[in-house]
Amino acid sequence: TNYNVLQIMLSVTVKPKDITITPSSDLYKVYDGTVSYPKITYIYDISAVINDDEIRFDGGLALKDITKNVGFYEIILGSLKIRNKNYNAVLSDEAKYFEIKALEINVTFEGYVDLSFDALEKEITYKITNKFQSDNIYLILAHHWHHSYVLL
């Protein structure tokens, strides 16, 4: 024989292809006293899909350290997974946030309110609407330097 037979054993690891998930912009809710939030919508990079592979998702995006309070909360991958094991869901590099916006409340002063400045304490009766029963709201009426009052 003029040749030698050489057998080589190879171990090949196929890593799933990343598909970038981008949360929708301007996601928010108005404060409602709860930590619940609507389903976070997103788009994905379809150009990363090979041939006609079917891409279906389970789970969903989530919010990091969500509380009921007004503020911005980072959107994270959460439980979102791609069913096809040949693909891996990754969050876009650009951070996206979900906002809880302040609830507008209405303060109505009842009856005549004498706010003439005389350095005396005055009792003022008021009614607040659009607030949640479990929330405590404290009003401070401050005398402003040019003899007007400001609700803080």
Side-chain angles (χ1 to χ4, degrees), residues 29-40:
K29 76 171 189 173
V30 175
Y31 174 81
D32 64 2
T34 72
V35 294
S36 67
Y37 54 91
K39 182 177 180 181
I40 300 170

Side-chain angles (χ1 to χ4, degrees), residues 136-148:
N136 292 318
I137 297 177
Y138 301 96
L139 300 178
I140 299 171
L141 194 61
H143 184 259
H144 197 267
W145 66 273
H146 58 77
H147 303 290
S148 62

Side-chain angles (χ1 to χ4, degrees), residues 24-136:
S24 301
S25 297
D26 300 325
L27 296 170
Y28 71 92
K29 76 171 189 173
V30 175
Y31 174 81
D32 64 2
T34 72
V35 294
S36 67
Y37 54 91
K39 182 177 180 181
I40 300 170
T41 56
Y42 57 87
I43 59 171
Y44 67 93
D45 181 9
I46 195 145
S47 67
V49 177
I50 297 173
N51 298 326
D52 291 326
D53 282 351
E54 186 175 7
I55 302 297
R56 290 188 182 220
F57 296 92
D58 286 324
L61 298 174
L63 301 177
K64 183 177 181 180
D65 301 326
I66 180 74
T67 72
K68 69 177 188 172
N69 297 320
V70 169
F72 290 89
Y73 298 91
E74 184 178 359
I75 298 172
I76 58 175
L77 203 51
S79 64
L80 187 68
K81 303 267 187 270
I82 299 175
R83 288 184 189 172
N84 185 330
K85 300 299 179 200
N86 293 321
Y87 296 92
N88 182 46
V90 295
L91 207 53
S92 64
D93 291 335
E94 181 184 333
K96 297 279 185 172
Y97 294 89
F98 180 89
E99 181 182 8
I100 298 179
K101 295 182 176 189
L103 173 68
E104 230 178 77
I105 61 169
N106 297 318
V107 178
T108 307
F109 293 98
E110 297 175 348
Y112 172 75
V113 179
D114 177 11
L115 294 178
S116 57
F117 182 71
D118 54 14
L120 299 175
E121 283 191 23
K122 299 181 187 311
E123 186 171 314
I124 299 173
T125 306
Y126 59 89
K127 180 173 142 187
I128 299 174
T129 56
N130 290 358
K131 88 172 196 74
F132 289 91
Q133 295 302 323
S134 62
D135 289 340
N136 292 318

Side-chain angles (χ1 to χ4, degrees), residues 5-25:
V5 175
L6 179 64
Q7 287 186 331
I8 300 175
M9 297 294 288
L10 294 176
S11 177
V12 177
T13 302
V14 178
K15 293 174 72 177
K17 184 170 177 62
D18 287 344
I19 298 223
T20 301
I21 307 298
T22 304
S24 301
S25 297

